[in-house]
Amino acid sequence: MRPLHGIDVERVRAFADAVFAIAITLLALEITVPEDVPSAELGHALEETLPSVAGYLLSFMVVGALWIAHHRLFRAAEQLDGPLMYLDLALMALVAALPFPTKLITRYHSNPLATSLYAGTIALSALLITVMALWLRSRPALHSPGAPYELIAKPLHSAAGVAVIFGSSLPVALISPDAAEYWWVGLGIPVRLYAAWRQSRTAKHAAAMPPSAPTANYWPRTGPGWPQS
């Protein structure tokens, strides 16, 4: 893969993998074992750790979804340009900082500011991946030859869905933090179903492409399928 300013795509992907791994590790470290607790009160002490466990599980699923989207997206890239590289650095900054709003929401569960900060961090992270996917899709010169269309379509739909779920919960969080958490779960199911439907529809459209395309399963770097820059 051709480098840009001495930084190739593989190195950027390795750096991102490290940031995601460190973020997940820091999330897990927030789950602590109660100290100096009598055996008879251990059950009650463990109940007090449930918010930390819930925060870890939620953030783990979010970070995992962002990592999958990022991994697929950068598999479709053969080289980087300046905007794509800086968008990725902004994403890494948010992912690395995610343990902080996660700690806030576990300690101040019913605080509107803590819930809004948590939702906003995730929404902005997902929005950055959405913008990167749109940017890469509109720049055929950056694509890997023969990259499957799913490598950009799936991250685009997935990240856009996460951005909608958490972004739309911000005004709800200011009124009722508890309602915002139910909003994440309740809206998550239909949004995921819609994203899956969109991906299926896109796959059928790609399979029906004219014979001028290199194969039925790949979008060409120019012509039908890839928008022109």
Side-chain angles (χ1 to χ4, degrees), residues 50-105:
L50 289 180
S52 297
V53 174
Y56 164 75
L57 292 176
L58 177 60
S59 294
F60 178 86
M61 289 189 294
V62 170
V63 171
L66 294 176
W67 175 79
I68 291 172
H70 183 276
H71 181 72
R72 285 174 173 165
L73 186 62
F74 275 74
R75 279 186 59 199
E78 182 184 26
Q79 59 178 327
L80 306 176
D81 60 2
L84 191 60
M85 184 169 62
Y86 290 118
L87 285 169
D88 188 59
L89 286 175
L91 173 64
M92 294 302 103
L94 288 174
V95 171
L98 187 59
F100 173 68
T102 301
K103 180 185 291 187
L104 282 180
I105 198 174

Side-chain angles (χ1 to χ4, degrees), residues 85-228:
M85 184 169 62
Y86 290 118
L87 285 169
D88 188 59
L89 286 175
L91 173 64
M92 294 302 103
L94 288 174
V95 171
L98 187 59
F100 173 68
T102 301
K103 180 185 291 187
L104 282 180
I105 198 174
T106 55
R107 292 191 179 183
Y108 304 97
H109 176 68
S110 299
N111 186 282
L113 180 58
T115 305
S116 299
L117 181 60
Y118 181 79
T121 302
I122 295 176
L124 185 55
S125 300
L127 183 61
L128 285 171
I129 292 184
T130 303
V131 173
M132 286 193 292
L134 292 172
W135 184 266
L136 184 58
R137 192 177 69 172
S138 67
R139 298 295 186 277
L142 303 180
H143 304 156
S144 297
Y149 71 94
E150 292 96 341
L151 294 183
I152 294 181
K154 286 185 177 181
L156 175 59
H157 298 150
S158 177
V162 173
V164 168
I165 293 169
F166 285 89
S168 62
S169 72
L170 288 172
V172 180
L174 295 176
I175 300 172
S176 172
D178 293 334
E181 295 178 10
Y182 286 111
W183 183 276
W184 302 336
V185 178
L187 190 61
I189 296 175
V191 168
R192 293 295 297 174
L193 290 175
Y194 175 76
W197 174 78
R198 286 285 301 174
Q199 292 172 14
S200 175
R201 184 179 178 183
T202 305
K204 291 179 181 179
H205 175 74
M209 285 174 56
S212 58
T215 69
N217 296 321
Y218 292 88
W219 284 354
R221 294 173 63 166
T222 58
W226 289 112
Q228 302 302 302

